[in-house]
Amino acid sequence: MKTFKWAVITSLFFALVSIVPGHSSAKFQFSDIPTNKEYYEQVHYIADLNIVNQADKFNPGDKLTRAHAAKMLVIASDNQNMSVPSTQFKDLKPGTEQHNFASQAVALGFFNKQADGSFKPNEFIKRDEMGYALSKAFKLSEEISVEKPLMLRDMKGHKYAVQVNGLYYGGVTQGDAGNFLPNDYLTRSQFALFVARALNDTYKLPVKLPEQTSRTYFAKVVTGGDLLNVRTHPAVTGDVVHKLNDGDIVEVLGENGEWLSILINGKNGYIHGKFTKEVGTETPSDDDVAVDEPEVSEPEVTEPEIEEPEEEIVPTPSPTGLVGKVTASSLNIRKTASTSSAIVGKLSAGQKVDVVSLDGHWAKINTSSGTGYIHKNYLKLINKTGNPLNGRIIVIDAGHGGKDPGTSSNKMTESKITLNVAKRVEARLKRAGAKVLMTRSNDSYLTLEQRTNFAKNNYAESFVSIHVNSASPAAKGTEVYYDSSTNPNAAESKKLAAKIHNNIVKSANMADRGVRDQRFYVVRNNNVAAVLVELGFLSNAEDYKKLASDTYAEIYAEAIYQGLVQYYSED
């Protein structure tokens, strides 16, 4: 509930005592308002606050005049005791009640003095002017945005659209079948409803926010060759802010009925879902065939059991110096490298084992009863001697490429920048003895599914996707993403993301936009430590100079490399 000054609190207390929503027992009752009317409680509520006079009749169906509205809003906003400005109106006599309230209302910005010097106190007020006055009185303006789009269709382009949008999201009005009807006249009962809702949360309408899902993914535009409009809000009345080509891939942030909320060039918008297919569900063309999944069963992860394992696992040292730290809550040990093989024990999260050898997705380990096999995806492999990156299988994914250049500015494209940095990371990792796998080493196009399948098919142990951002000129800085929705190695992904992020921010002196959990395709469809790095914003002048510079490409590459070194150096 809004805070009232003491002058109003006393009367509000008695109003709430005498009027309980759903069961009103006011001390008095307007003779022309039956108890079954939807506005019965609200009218008596504002009457108890002395916003309207307690009289025999309320005349709920009468049209509201400007004088009535001015008086009610001045009192409802607790401004009736302010000094009366010496405003002159040609149609109001100074010292009268109408003049006093009109002067106060104009001074407070609820109404404007007419161009001819009049106030027009007896003129009926329309809903648009009422919306503006209510918004000013209760500070309910709301900028129209993707998060809070204009839900009342007939207010599009109206000079009071922002104010009425505030009333909608403030729970004051939902209009009539999606329209506000700005040119209709307002009745006294309607105004009583609006004022009561603005004053008291008890009477507010439940706000119908855009029904967005939390699922994010990437979708491909499928129009048969036509352009697809990107609009400001989920309706054909939304302004067109961008056009997508057939075959474009966009990030989907949520769904609002048939409309998809997307991120395009760092900005939000809406497209119609019937003209898209989620990446990975469309039928591939001859030059866009997805790589086959590796021939391996479901991950060897089981839920922890209450009872102790039948066999205590006592690893014996191996000569390789390679240790595996379990990243799953419970991991099966198999007799042979097969999911159909007998389970001979279990390992718990954080437990370490000496690794004898690696073969594809399987790690051979020593146990007290001999050797066993565990699924490598659920181990963080740590070298106890030599370079921590030696032998590690790391995928470096240069974002975009080929027909998908990504964002661009001044002829500098995202695909060019990411490949430049990725190759420098590759060189460093190779010198450290890592097995580096590049999803692309030239200006070629790969689907998102091909990138993640490439990692799985090559038994990757970590995955780093490199990108650059674009938004408003003011947006700048580095952010690194991981996924906790489907990636079973979310905790390890977050650790890797933090290491890389901190190094970039410090080494390249970038604004810190944080480490974020988001369902980007290439991180949520991976099953190892996977991160997506947004180096900076091409749309920002300061970031652009760095992103376009080979000097900073070296700095970014070194920072990513150091992040990987630090991640694999920790037990």
Side-chain angles (χ1 to χ4, degrees):
M1 184 181 296
K2 292 186 178 293
T3 302
F4 298 100
K5 294 183 179 179
W6 288 110
V8 177
I9 289 179
T10 303
S11 56
L12 173 58
F13 172 77
F14 289 111
L16 294 177
V17 170
S18 60
I19 300 178
V20 179
H23 183 70
S24 178
S25 56
K27 294 180 181 178
F28 81 99
Q29 180 176 331
F30 289 111
S31 61
D32 55 354
I33 303 181
T35 57
N36 63 350
K37 290 294 184 182
E38 64 166 334
Y39 48 81
Y40 174 84
E41 290 178 3
Q42 290 86 339
V43 168
H44 287 90
Y45 168 74
I46 66 172
D48 279 340
L49 293 177
N50 296 317
I51 295 171
V52 295
N53 294 330
Q54 296 183 10
D56 179 49
K57 292 185 177 182
F58 180 71
N59 301 313
D62 286 359
K63 293 177 183 176
L64 186 74
T65 66
R66 287 167 56 83
H68 289 151
K71 176 181 178 180
M72 292 168 71
L73 287 179
V74 168
I75 297 173
S77 61
D78 197 22
N79 284 294
Q80 66 272 28
N81 294 322
M82 71 177 286
S83 299
V84 177
S86 57
T87 308
Q88 298 294 318
F89 301 102
K90 73 174 189 178
D91 53 355
L92 289 175
K93 183 178 180 180
T96 62
E97 181 183 80
Q98 282 193 345
H99 174 271
N100 292 347
F101 282 119
S103 298
Q104 291 170 323
V106 169
L108 292 166
F110 304 165
F111 291 95
N112 294 317
K113 187 176 180 180
Q114 300 296 307
D116 63 358
S118 66
F119 183 75
K120 301 187 183 302
N122 299 316
E123 182 180 88
F124 297 134
I125 190 170
K126 291 184 178 180
R127 289 170 62 91
D128 60 350
E129 189 179 14
M130 175 279 303
Y132 176 86
L134 272 171
S135 171
K136 295 292 289 185
F138 299 106
K139 298 178 176 60
L140 290 174
S141 293
E142 190 69 63
E143 290 294 331
I144 299 166
S145 64
V146 172
E147 292 76 20
K148 293 185 177 180
L150 184 62
M151 302 298 284
L152 299 171
R153 296 184 296 269
D154 56 356
M155 289 302 295
K156 179 183 177 182
H158 196 285
K159 62 180 179 179
Y160 298 148
V162 170
Q163 288 75 22
V164 171
N165 205 44
L167 299 185
Y168 178 91
Y169 289 103
V172 174
T173 179
Q174 291 177 352
D176 182 4
N179 289 307
F180 184 66
L181 309 176
N183 294 317
D184 284 9
Y185 290 110
L186 196 72
T187 65
R188 287 168 56 85
S189 61
Q190 289 171 336
F191 193 63
L193 283 171
F194 295 150
V195 171
R197 291 167 186 165
L199 281 173
N200 192 331
D201 290 348
T202 301
Y203 302 116
K204 288 189 186 302
L205 299 171
V207 178
K208 297 179 180 179
L209 294 171
E211 297 176 1
Q212 302 243 339
T213 68
S214 60
R215 188 171 84 99
T216 65
Y217 56 94
F218 283 81
K220 183 176 182 179
V221 176
V222 182
T223 61
D226 295 330
L227 295 175
L228 180 61
N229 291 329
V230 181
R231 298 185 180 273
T232 53
H233 65 277
V236 292
T237 55
D239 294 332
V240 177
V241 294
H242 193 81
K243 291 182 183 290
L244 296 172
N245 295 308
D246 185 25
D248 282 352
I249 294 176
V250 293
E251 181 191 358
V252 178
L253 304 178
E255 299 171 1
N256 185 7
E258 294 182 324
W259 293 83
L260 305 181
S261 172
I262 69 165
L263 187 67
I264 181 72
N265 293 333
K267 298 181 180 180
N268 298 97
Y270 285 91
I271 58 176
H272 203 287
K274 75 176 182 178
F275 300 109
T276 68
K277 285 187 178 180
E278 183 173 352
V279 171
T281 64
E282 70 270 16
T283 302
S285 61
D286 292 339
D287 62 349
D288 190 24
V289 179
V291 181
D292 291 336
E293 288 284 344
E295 304 246 346
V296 62
S297 301
E298 288 298 310
E300 280 291 280
V301 180
T302 61
E303 292 297 325
E305 296 183 6
I306 297 176
E307 64 272 15
E308 293 294 324
E310 294 181 2
E311 175 189 11
E312 181 183 4
I313 307 303
V314 183
T316 57
S318 72
T320 63
L322 185 61
V323 171
K325 180 181 178 181
V326 178
T327 61
S329 59
S330 180
L331 185 61
N332 293 330
I333 302 177
R334 299 279 183 176
K335 187 174 182 179
T336 63
S338 170
T339 56
S340 60
S341 179
I343 297 174
V344 297
K346 295 180 186 296
L347 297 170
S348 301
Q351 192 170 350
K352 296 176 183 177
V353 292
D354 285 282
V355 177
V356 176
S357 62
L358 299 171
D359 184 10
H361 288 286
W362 293 93
K364 184 179 180 180
I365 65 170
N366 281 323
T367 73
S368 58
S369 60
T371 58
Y373 295 84
I374 54 180
H375 203 287
K376 190 185 73 169
N377 284 358
Y378 304 94
L379 289 179
K380 178 182 180 181
L381 296 169
I382 304 166
N383 294 323
K384 301 306 291 184
T385 60
N387 193 300
L389 297 179
N390 184 45
R392 302 287 55 80
I393 304 175
I394 302 172
V395 172
I396 301 299
D397 174 43
H400 304 275
K403 65 181 181 181
D404 175 24
T407 188
S408 62
S409 178
N410 295 329
K411 298 182 180 181
M412 181 61 67
T413 65
E414 181 175 5
S415 59
K416 180 179 178 181
I417 295 169
T418 59
L419 185 60
N420 187 19
V421 174
K423 284 184 174 181
R424 296 168 192 268
V425 176
E426 177 190 29
R428 286 167 167 77
L429 292 174
K430 283 184 174 180
R431 287 197 295 268
K435 181 180 179 181
V436 192
L437 301 170
M438 300 280 285
T439 56
R440 67 180 182 96
S441 296
N442 51 39
D443 189 25
S444 56
Y445 173 77
L446 291 90
T447 67
L448 300 175
E449 185 178 3
Q450 284 176 319
R451 295 170 194 263
T452 54
N453 281 348
F454 174 80
K456 294 172 184 176
N457 289 345
N458 286 281
Y459 316 115
E461 295 162 9
S462 55
F463 180 99
V464 179
S465 187
I466 303 173
H467 293 256
V468 299
N469 236 326
S470 180
S472 68
K476 64 179 183 177
T478 298
E479 51 197 18
V480 182
Y481 293 90
Y482 69 98
D483 169 74
S484 66
S485 64
T486 60
N487 189 322
N489 273 296
E492 294 300 314
S493 298
K494 185 177 182 180
K495 292 176 184 177
L496 176 58
K499 297 294 185 185
I500 292 174
H501 177 77
N502 293 339
N503 276 280
I504 294 175
V505 169
K506 181 178 179 181
S507 300
N509 192 27
M510 300 296 290
D512 186 349
R513 295 176 62 88
V515 172
R516 304 185 181 189
D517 184 359
Q518 181 62 274
R519 292 168 57 100
F520 288 112
Y521 188 97
V522 294
V523 290
R524 74 180 173 95
N525 284 286
N526 253 299
N527 49 21
V528 295
V531 301
L532 188 149
V533 182
E534 293 279 6
L535 297 171
F537 286 77
L538 266 182
S539 51
N540 176 267
E542 182 180 345
D543 281 9
Y544 176 88
K545 291 180 181 179
K546 295 178 180 179
L547 294 170
S549 161
D550 281 343
T551 299
Y552 270 88
E554 281 290 310
I555 294 173
Y556 289 131
E558 179 66 16
I560 293 172
Y561 168 76
Q562 289 297 332
L564 285 161
V565 170
Q566 292 166 13
Y567 171 75
Y568 277 106
S569 297
E570 287 187 353
D571 289 348

